[in-house]
């Protein structure tokens, strides 16, 4: 049995789906584009104040049963009152002439209804009488969707904006009466449809089919084709100021404003006077303080599997007076599959997969950034121009354009789809907020078919592909762009940015979690005394006490360091190591707790207990490696066996390697013992950071990509005769353009909670402070344009045993 829809439901549906007048204008103008018109004409005509017009209509309704004689007595006064209240305009005089000439009730009623209206007109393909009946009168018609499907099959590059057949509901929002007049080139007559929406809500339960709306064949057509939609009985007050606001905030952004000469245009008039629609000026680009361009695209790898690539370029410009970037302050970036998956590793995107990234499709982004403190008035053609006002017109974050037409409300005054403002408010450094950004994301209906508008036209539907889009755009603006301009500004100021305060805060949070886990383990040991948890608990508490004692010792001993740089490095490096150990301690505690679930003798629980014991053993080895780092005053060069030291460091990661299926080998070039005289803590810290870095990126890349499953390997090679340690892994590597940037403080492609961008920075600083060097080498790259090998050249003194 088919569903039956009441007429009142249609009215309610229109009110809910079309949420603003700006959206209503969008939908009605889209019809003109889909009809292949080159231009849409919008006329808002208001010859009487809304209140006066409403009172006049009510009065005429009361006169419906008047005799001709009674009508004659009242009509003069009625016309005089309307003439006095009329709003002066280019169109008002003609309307007053028609008012004066109206002698019958029907004529007068028609003139009054014509006093105010909104009209949308185009010279497009138009509609036949059949289309007007079967397509236009059908809400949710797949007509446009069918057209798009047919164009795709025929491989025609045809842009069709409509898809759901709800655009006609926009007319319902704007006014009570709708009149559609349309014809195709082949029609001999105009086809007309008149709807009074009030009839749809008069009787509850009245079905749509009972309203009796039918199109008709109207007067003979002279030539041409097109459609005119006139809306009368306007539901709200209109003024020139309000129409100008819609032109400024909505219509100006309807068509991609970054394109100098769009193929489609809009003309708007208020009572016959043109209402200007602002166009974006070249001044925006010329006076930007930074320009960001980014692109998501796809390439096949050696196994013919598609892989995503996100690349971009940042130009940090001189005070906004020239397009030429400051020498040395132009940066390019490139993210491959593993890095993109790392970006998506945050909690907000934990359900997103590589398949979702692949199905998103290619897209581009460009934006201009303005330092509002540097904005000044400028002179253009002997006229002073306020840059702040110009930028305020277009700023608001990244707009989204599909096939050159805006997807509302992104980039609007009330929309912060990337949460840029919230991030900026929480930032202690440079602000990158929506008021500073004029930009866009370009998508297409062909390349990004899963990015579909919500039915109410208030943004894109929620889907994994939308999550990927949000995550990548946030990364470009917050990590790549913001991070880069902060780096440049700090470099120009010579500001030292490293601080242990943040690390201490994170460590305190981890300590709270460990304490809670240990308390639960203690309770479990009392409940299950035969499970052997007591020794594990004691060992974990002992390890935790070491971590806490190390923090106390570190805070006491740091005051003994006179050299500020050495103090900072000591704090940061030791703090980073302790935080990582605290995380491992928490993990071991958790696995011990997991082992008591269900039957202790079950294979799963036995494995959990085995894992906890292995992690505890590895943790104890890593805690032992902290000993030479506890006091900065005792970091002197000592003689030790380098190979044994490296093997000890690797052994401390045994549980971590097993957990992730990583094979780590230590190789030595030559058989002679490698006795070195070095600061042992330097070797420990540098290798710990390099190993942690390799483990992270190997685990990120450990995902089935098409037919390939990558091998997870780390190789550490000791070349004693050259004073060199080489660390290679089979992960995604570092992009060549980032070879220097990865060593900068706070630069990271890891998500929040996974890294702070300090490990490689600290490692290089420590190496250089002690006379060594840490670099990236192009040797053994796993892919073109990638670097997988770190080379640690240590400055050694020959020991007395040599």
């Amino acid at each position: 049995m088919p569903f039956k829809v009441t007429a009142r439901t249609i009215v309610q549906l229109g009110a809910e789906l079309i949420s603003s007048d700006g959206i209503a204008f969008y939908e009605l103008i889209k019809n003109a584009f889909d009809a292949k018109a080159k231009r849409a004409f919008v006329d808002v005509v208001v010859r009487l104040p809304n209140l006066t017009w409403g009172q006049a209509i009510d009065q005429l309704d009361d006169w419906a049963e008047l005799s001709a004689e009674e009508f004659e007595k009242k009509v003069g006064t009625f016309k005089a009152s309307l003439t006095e209240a009329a709003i002066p305009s280019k169109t008002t005089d003609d309307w007053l002439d028609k008012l004066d000439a109206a002698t019958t009730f029907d004529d007068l009623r028609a003139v009054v209804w014509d006093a105010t209206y909104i009209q949308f007109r185009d010279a497009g393909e138009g509609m036949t009488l059949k289309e007007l009946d079967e397509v236009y009168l059908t809400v949710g018609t797949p007509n446009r969707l069918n057209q798009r499907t047919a164009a795709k099959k025929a491989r025609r590059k045809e842009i069709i904006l409509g898809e759901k057949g709800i655009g006609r509901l926009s007319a319902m929002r704007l006014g009570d009466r709708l009149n559609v007049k349309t014809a195709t080139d082949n029609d001999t007559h105009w086809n007309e449809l008149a709807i009074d929406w009030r009839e749809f809500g008069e009787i509850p339960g009245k079905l749509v089919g009972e309203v009796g709306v039918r199109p008709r064949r109207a007067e003979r057509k002279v030539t041409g084709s097109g459609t005119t939609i006139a809306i009368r009985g306007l539901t709200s007050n209109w003024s020139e100021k309000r129409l100008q606001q819609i032109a400024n905030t909505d219509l100006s952004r309807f068509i991609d404003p970054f394109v100098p000469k769009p193929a489609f245009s809009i003309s708007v008039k208020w009572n016959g006077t043109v209402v200007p629609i602002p166009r974006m000026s070249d001044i925006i680009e010329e006076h930007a303080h930074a320009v960001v361009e980014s692109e998501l695209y796809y390439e096949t790898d050696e196994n013919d599997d598609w892989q995503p690539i996100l690349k971009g370029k940042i130009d940090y410009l001189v005070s906004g007076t020239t397009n030429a970037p400051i020498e040395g302050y132009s940066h390019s970036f490139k993210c491959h599959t593993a890095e993109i998956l790392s970006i998506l590793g945050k909690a907000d995107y934990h359900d997103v997969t590589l398949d979702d990234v692949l199905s998103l499709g290619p897209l581009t982004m460009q934006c201009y950034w303005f330092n509002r403190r540097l904005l000044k008035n400028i002179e253009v053609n002997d006229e002073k121009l306020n840059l702040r006002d110009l930028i305020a017109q277009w700023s608001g974050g990244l707009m989204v354009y599909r096939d050159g037409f805006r997807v509302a409300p992104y980039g609007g005054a009330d929309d912060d789809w990337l949460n840029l403002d919230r991030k900026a408010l929480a930032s202690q450094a440079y602000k990158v907020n929506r008021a500073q950004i004029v930009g866009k994301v370009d998508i297409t209906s062909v390349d990004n078919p899963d990015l579909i508008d919500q039915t109410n036209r208030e943004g894109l539907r929620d889907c994994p592909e939308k999550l990927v889009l949000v995550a990548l755009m946030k990364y470009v603006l917050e990590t790549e762009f913001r991070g880069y301009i902060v780096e440049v500004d700090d470099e120009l100021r010579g500001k030292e940015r490293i601080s242990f305060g943040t690390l201490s805060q994170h460590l305190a949070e981890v300590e709270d979690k460990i304490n809670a886990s240990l308390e639960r383990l203690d309770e479990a040991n009392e409940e299950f005394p035969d499970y052997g948890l007591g020794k594990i608990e004691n060992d974990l508490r002992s390890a935790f006490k070491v971590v806490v004692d190390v923090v106390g010792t570190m805070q006491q001993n740091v005051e003994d360091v006179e050299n500020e740089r050495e103090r900072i490095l000591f704090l940061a490096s030791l703090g980073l190591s302790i935080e990582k150990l605290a995380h491992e301690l928490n993990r071991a505690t958790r696995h011990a707790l997991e082992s008591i679930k269900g039957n202790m003798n079950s294979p799963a629980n036995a494995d959990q207990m085995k894992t906890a014991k292995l992690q505890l053993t590895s943790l104890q080895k890593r805690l032992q490696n902290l000993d030479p780092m506890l006091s900065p005053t005792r970091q002197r060069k000592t003689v030790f066996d380098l190979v044994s030291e490296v093997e000890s460091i690797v052994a401390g990661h045994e549980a971590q390697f097993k957990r992730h299926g990583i094979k780590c080998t230590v190789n030595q070039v030559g058989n002679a013992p490698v006795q070195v005289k070095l600061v042992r803590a330097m070797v420990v810290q540098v290798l710990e950071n390099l190993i942690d870095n390799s483990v992270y990126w190997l685990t990120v890349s450990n995902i089935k990509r098409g037919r390939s499953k990558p091998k997870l390997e780390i190789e550490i090679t000791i070349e004693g005769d050259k004073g060199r340690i080489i660390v290679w892994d089979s992960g995604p590597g570092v992009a060549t353009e980032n070879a220097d940037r990865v060593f900068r403080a706070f630069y990271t492609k890891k998500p929040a909670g996974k890294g702070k961008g300090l490990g490689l920075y600290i490692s290089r600083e420590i190496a250089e402070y002690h006379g060594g060097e840490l670099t990236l080498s192009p040797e053994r790259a796993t892919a073109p344009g990638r670097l997988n090998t770190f080379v640690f050249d240590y400055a050694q003194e020959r020991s007395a045993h040599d």
Side-chain angles (χ1 to χ4, degrees):
M1 181 177 178
F3 288 106
K4 294 183 178 180
V5 181
T6 66
R8 178 171 287 185
T9 300
I10 293 294
V11 175
Q12 293 171 339
L13 185 65
E16 292 177 7
L17 291 184
I18 309 301
S19 57
S20 71
D21 292 335
I23 295 295
F25 272 55
Y26 269 19
E27 293 302 316
L28 291 164
I29 292 171
K30 280 181 181 180
N31 290 339
F33 178 83
D34 285 343
K36 297 182 173 56
K38 298 295 183 182
R39 191 178 184 90
F41 299 88
V42 181
D43 292 284
V44 179
V45 175
V46 178
R47 301 177 177 115
L48 290 175
N50 198 55
L51 179 61
T52 302
W53 180 88
Q55 292 172 341
I57 291 296
D58 290 341
Q59 193 168 355
L60 287 173
D61 288 342
D62 293 339
W63 289 1
E65 303 299 326
L66 288 181
S67 64
E69 184 178 343
E70 290 175 316
F71 175 75
E72 283 286 340
K73 292 178 181 179
K74 295 176 178 291
V75 70
T77 304
F78 178 81
K79 289 182 179 181
S81 65
L82 294 187
T83 301
E84 184 178 352
I87 299 171
S89 72
K90 290 182 178 180
T91 65
T92 301
D93 289 343
D94 288 341
W95 178 79
L96 289 174
D97 289 342
K98 292 178 181 178
L99 177 67
D100 186 57
T103 57
T104 67
F105 175 80
D106 290 339
D107 288 343
L108 182 61
R109 185 179 177 85
V111 170
V112 174
W113 268 101
D114 203 39
T116 62
Y117 61 84
I118 300 176
Q119 179 177 279
F120 297 84
R121 178 170 52 87
D122 68 70
E125 293 177 333
M127 290 177 282
T128 64
L129 188 64
K130 182 179 180 181
E131 289 171 333
L132 193 58
D133 185 23
E134 297 180 359
V135 176
Y136 194 84
L137 279 178
T138 304
V139 176
T141 174
N143 182 58
R144 295 301 186 195
L145 182 61
N146 293 339
Q147 288 179 355
R148 184 181 292 112
T149 302
K152 187 175 181 180
K153 287 183 178 179
R155 296 184 178 181
R156 297 194 310 268
K157 291 185 178 180
E158 185 174 347
I159 298 173
I160 299 172
L161 302 182
E163 58 182 32
K164 300 180 181 69
I166 64 168
R168 66 276 287 135
L169 298 180
S170 300
M172 187 186 301
R173 175 186 173 85
L174 298 176
D176 290 334
R177 282 191 172 187
L178 168 69
N179 182 273
V180 181
K181 192 173 182 180
T182 182
T184 66
D185 274 331
N186 295 327
D187 283 324
T188 58
H189 291 71
W190 289 102
N191 307 304
E192 191 171 35
L193 172 68
I195 300 176
D196 189 335
W197 298 115
R198 296 175 301 175
E199 295 180 11
F200 282 69
E202 283 180 348
I203 305 174
K206 188 176 185 179
L207 299 179
V208 172
E210 297 172 353
V211 176
V213 175
R214 286 288 179 271
R216 70 180 185 88
R217 192 182 187 191
E219 74 270 17
R220 190 171 185 84
K221 184 190 72 173
V222 178
T223 184
S225 62
T227 300
T228 299
I229 297 174
I231 302 160
R232 294 178 173 83
L234 305 183
T235 54
S236 58
N237 290 317
W238 283 88
S239 65
E240 185 174 8
K241 182 179 179 180
R242 184 180 176 195
L243 183 59
Q244 185 66 67
Q245 184 179 9
I246 288 180
N248 292 345
T249 60
D250 294 297
L251 300 185
S252 63
R253 299 174 179 227
F254 177 68
I255 306 165
D256 186 351
F258 294 82
V259 177
K261 294 182 179 180
F264 182 79
S265 61
I266 306 168
S267 171
V268 180
K269 289 184 179 181
W270 166 263
N271 284 343
T273 300
V274 172
V275 174
I277 300 176
R279 290 294 302 168
M280 187 176 291
S281 169
D282 292 339
I283 295 172
I284 292 284
E285 180 180 357
E286 292 169 359
H287 289 78
H289 300 112
V291 179
V292 185
E293 295 178 340
S294 185
E295 176 185 8
L296 175 68
Y297 63 100
Y298 304 86
E299 290 182 349
T300 54
D301 60 16
E302 64 278 4
N303 297 306
D304 289 332
D305 296 322
W306 286 101
Q307 304 296 341
I309 298 174
L310 177 69
K311 74 172 185 179
K313 183 182 179 184
I314 301 166
D315 286 330
Y316 193 13
L317 309 177
V318 173
S319 62
T321 57
T322 175
N323 287 54
I326 304 173
E327 184 178 356
Y329 295 110
S330 181
H331 166 66
S332 297
F333 62 89
K334 198 172 189 179
C335 300
H336 290 254
T337 301
E339 293 158 319
I340 290 175
L341 292 176
S342 176
I343 294 167
L344 297 170
K346 298 183 181 181
D348 294 344
Y349 319 113
H350 67 281
D351 290 331
V352 175
T353 66
L354 177 59
D355 287 339
D356 298 323
V357 182
L358 296 174
S359 62
L360 170 58
L363 54 86
T364 61
M365 180 272 271
Q366 72 175 102
C367 87
Y368 303 102
W369 177 83
F370 299 86
N371 185 339
R372 295 174 64 84
R373 291 175 298 175
L374 300 179
L375 294 177
K376 302 176 181 178
N377 291 342
I378 60 174
E379 194 168 296
V380 179
N381 298 327
D382 297 328
E383 181 182 351
K384 285 190 176 181
L385 184 65
N386 188 319
L387 269 179
R388 283 180 176 268
D389 291 344
L390 180 61
I391 292 162
Q393 164 71 43
W394 298 103
S395 63
L398 294 181
M399 296 176 278
V400 178
Y401 286 89
R402 180 192 292 110
D403 300 318
F405 292 84
R406 187 183 177 203
V407 178
Y410 301 124
D414 300 322
D415 177 77
D416 188 11
W417 66 293
L418 298 179
N419 285 324
L420 295 178
D421 287 351
R422 185 169 63 183
K423 178 78 173 180
L425 287 172
S427 172
Q428 297 299 314
Y430 240 102
K431 313 292 191 214
V432 176
N433 58 44
R434 295 190 303 122
Q436 297 172 292
I437 292 175
V438 177
K440 66 164 180 172
V441 177
D442 276 316
I443 61 176
T444 70
S445 53
V446 174
D447 291 334
N448 315 102
D450 292 306
L451 297 180
I452 301 172
D453 289 1
Q454 295 184 49
T455 304
N456 64 359
R457 299 303 199 261
E458 289 292 328
L460 299 169
R461 290 182 184 174
D462 289 337
C463 63
E465 291 77 12
K466 177 185 174 182
L467 287 178
V468 176
L469 171 65
V470 171
L472 296 185
M473 294 303 100
K474 283 173 68 69
Y475 169 79
V476 171
L477 290 177
E478 292 180 352
T479 300
E480 288 291 349
F481 172 58
R482 181 182 178 277
Y484 181 65
I485 63 175
V486 169
E487 287 174 12
V488 171
D489 284 358
D490 285 349
E491 184 176 327
L492 291 173
R493 296 189 189 107
K495 176 183 175 184
E496 179 58 76
R497 300 172 53 247
I498 205 76
S499 167
F500 187 59
T502 304
L503 292 175
S504 296
Q505 180 183 348
H506 283 286
L507 180 58
E509 294 171 358
V510 174
E511 285 180 1
D512 290 339
K513 293 179 182 178
I514 293 173
N515 275 320
S517 297
L518 286 172
E519 288 176 7
R520 291 197 301 272
L521 190 59
D522 183 49
E523 294 170 359
N525 185 41
E526 292 180 3
E527 186 176 352
F528 304 98
D530 299 330
Y531 278 22
L533 297 175
K535 185 178 185 306
I536 288 183
E537 181 196 351
N538 290 334
D539 288 343
L540 286 170
R541 287 192 180 278
S542 176
F544 179 47
K545 186 176 183 301
V546 172
V547 173
V548 174
D549 290 344
V550 165
V551 174
T553 303
M554 173 188 65
Q555 291 173 340
Q556 293 172 10
N557 290 340
V558 70
E559 301 303 326
D560 298 333
V561 182
E562 295 181 1
N563 184 285
E564 178 66 18
R565 185 184 183 199
E566 186 175 351
R567 180 189 290 117
I568 289 169
L569 288 175
F570 170 69
L571 280 170
S573 60
L574 188 53
L576 201 59
S577 295
I578 291 171
E579 187 186 13
K580 292 174 181 176
L581 286 170
H583 278 294
E584 287 297 311
L585 178 58
N586 194 32
R587 186 187 296 276
T589 308
R590 192 174 69 249
H591 277 105
L593 286 168
E594 290 288 333
S595 69
I596 63 174
K597 292 181 178 178
N599 181 4
M600 182 62 188
N601 296 320
S602 70
N605 285 341
D607 286 343
Q608 290 285 359
M609 178 64 77
K610 185 177 179 180
T611 299
K613 290 179 179 179
L614 178 60
Q615 287 177 334
L616 185 56
T617 301
S618 298
L619 183 61
Q620 289 169 336
K621 291 178 181 178
R622 295 183 72 178
L623 285 169
Q624 291 171 5
N625 289 330
L626 275 179
D627 182 64
M629 301 171 62
L630 287 180
S631 173
T633 60
R634 293 190 284 118
Q635 290 198 24
R636 299 188 181 93
K637 293 182 178 180
T638 58
V639 177
F640 60 92
D641 184 275
L642 182 60
V643 176
S644 297
E645 186 64 35
V646 173
E647 289 175 343
S648 175
I649 295 169
V650 170
H653 290 268
E654 182 181 356
Q656 191 180 30
F657 293 152
K658 183 174 182 180
R659 185 167 69 248
H660 297 298
I662 296 172
K663 178 183 178 183
C664 183
T665 57
V666 179
N667 305 315
Q668 178 186 350
V669 177
N671 298 319
V674 183
Q675 293 289 316
V676 295
K677 187 176 182 180
L678 295 169
V679 177
R680 183 170 168 236
M682 173 189 71
V683 177
V684 173
Q685 184 63 64
V686 172
L687 287 183
E688 284 283 351
N689 284 335
L690 291 179
I691 290 171
D692 284 333
N693 188 67
S694 291
V695 168
Y696 174 79
W697 288 109
L698 285 170
T699 55
V700 169
S701 63
N702 186 23
I703 180 171
K704 186 172 179 59
R705 290 179 282 168
R707 297 188 296 272
S708 60
K709 183 82 170 179
K711 292 182 179 180
L712 308 183
E713 297 177 309
I714 300 174
E715 290 184 13
I716 302 175
T717 303
I718 302 168
E719 298 180 351
D721 58 332
K722 296 181 179 179
R724 177 177 295 169
I725 301 174
I726 300 172
V727 179
W728 172 89
D729 66 61
S730 61
V734 177
T736 52
E737 57 265 29
N738 291 331
D740 290 326
R741 201 175 182 206
V742 292
F743 293 108
R744 292 182 179 180
F746 301 107
Y747 176 77
T748 182
K749 290 183 179 291
K750 299 176 184 178
K754 297 293 186 180
K756 302 173 184 64
L758 291 174
L760 293 178
Y761 169 80
I762 291 170
S763 297
R764 173 176 271 190
E765 287 287 303
I766 291 173
E768 292 180 352
Y769 183 75
H770 292 288
E773 187 179 16
L774 181 63
T775 58
L776 272 165
S777 167
E779 299 296 324
R780 298 186 66 187
T782 58
R786 310 299 290 183
L787 302 172
N788 293 74
T789 304
F790 285 92
V791 178
F792 174 28
D793 288 304
Y794 51 87
Q796 63 169 330
E797 294 180 14
R798 291 193 173 274
S799 70
H801 302 285
D802 291 345

